[in-house]
Amino acid sequence: MSESAETPALPKVRIATTSLAGCFGCHMSFLDIDERILDLMKIAEFDRSPITDIKHCSPCDIALIEGGVCNAENAHVLREMRANAKILVAIGACAINGGLPAMRNRLDVGDILNEVYRDLDGVQSHVPNDPELPLLFDKVYPVNEVVRVDYFIPGCPPSADAIWKYLNDLILGRMPRLDHSLLHYD
Amino acid sequence: MSGTETAIVVDEIPVPFKPGQTILEAALEAGVYIPHLCAHPEFAPHGSCKLCTVIVNGRNASACTLKAAAGQEIEVDTPDLHAYRRTLVQMLFVEGNHFCPGCEKSGNCQLQALAYDSEMMTPHFVEFYPHRPVDASHPDVLIDFNRCIQCELCVRASRDVDGKSIFALVGRGMASHIVVNSPSGKLGDTNFSVADKAAHVCPVGAILIKRVGYAVPIGERRYDLEAISEEASRCAGEEVR
């Protein structure tokens, strides 16, 4: 009797990803794992992600969050993913400390909108106010100031090797660690 | 005479010391790394960052200010102290605006290097996002106070080496900050020079020389290539930085 007939296939690890107030650079870096994604797909599948274009998150094992929280839609998406994910990972500088978008935090958000949409020459004369547009927050918040975060992968972006190592550790149940060569904030 | 009268014990390793040496000086000379940030071999110790905290015969002490003495048994590399140092670094990160991807010092920054060394994955605490204007008034040097950690190395260098006393730390507690000694408060209105020692001692990206920021690419810099602890051990006995 073959072993495979007796051993039921392990359920695949479900991974959800999203980019909030980020630049998709962390997702690009994730895709830089190149052909290793084929190995990953043998044991994992994607839930909500730009890769699948699924719009809402369902129960999953790992959620990778890129970007900080700059508006109401970011907060909704983040909370939905937190509610569904067993492990939530903040990935990249923006998710971890707000990153470059958070450099607006010392300015008043009303002043910024007026400057960009009303006062600059050659632009429209009012701040956009369509109900479909998510409400901007006063500040850009790191992910861990909005929901509980289980793990953090710093970097701008973290290298493909760092993401690969971390994901492997998580999936295989090891204590995830990045050594000096993989740990970078820039 | 037995060696114990001129040696301290650091993590069970005997470390010789010369009279007058601090624990930090003796340890670094012997290749035993103790993390430190505000300490600099050319200046009087400041004892403010507390990253060099060690346990000496059961009590916490700053290795940069406490003189080595026979009979000291010192703990440096323990999980508790490791976590404690990481917490200090995390607090320094959230207190300022430390956006490494946008900083020219990234890779050469001692704060960042110590964060790498203590495996800081997140600043953890709620970010302060303070408002600290940049002073670009000087033709050759830029001051970005967002990254200042108030180690006072520039204060010490300008006062003790350059003889100019251009910088000072004012205020108390959360209001402490570095000021520039000129009527306008701007560096451009002082006799500060790029040749001054104070222009070259900043451990973070607060005092930056203009027009050389990216002469060495990101990824090929000092602490990109080697962890700060490994560098210190390798360079033991040489001039301590």
Side-chain angles (χ1 to χ4, degrees), chain B residues 19-33:
Chain B
Q21 267 190 327
T22 62
I23 293 171
L24 181 67
E25 286 165 343
L28 290 179
E29 200 172 298
V32 177
Y33 180 64

Side-chain angles (χ1 to χ4, degrees), chain B residues 131-149:
Chain B
H131 175 36
R132 301 189 192 160
V134 171
D135 180 351
S137 58
H138 194 277
D140 300 318
V141 178
L142 169 81
I143 306 186
D144 189 338
F145 291 105
N146 290 292
R147 302 165 187 154
C148 179
I149 53 167

Side-chain angles (χ1 to χ4, degrees), chain B residues 34-37 49-53 85-86 88-89 92 114:
Chain B
I34 300 176
H36 57 279
L37 191 52
C49 77
K50 299 297 170 197
L51 277 171
C52 70
T53 297
R85 290 189 197 102
R86 182 166 54 228
L88 288 176
V89 173
L92 285 171
L114 286 163

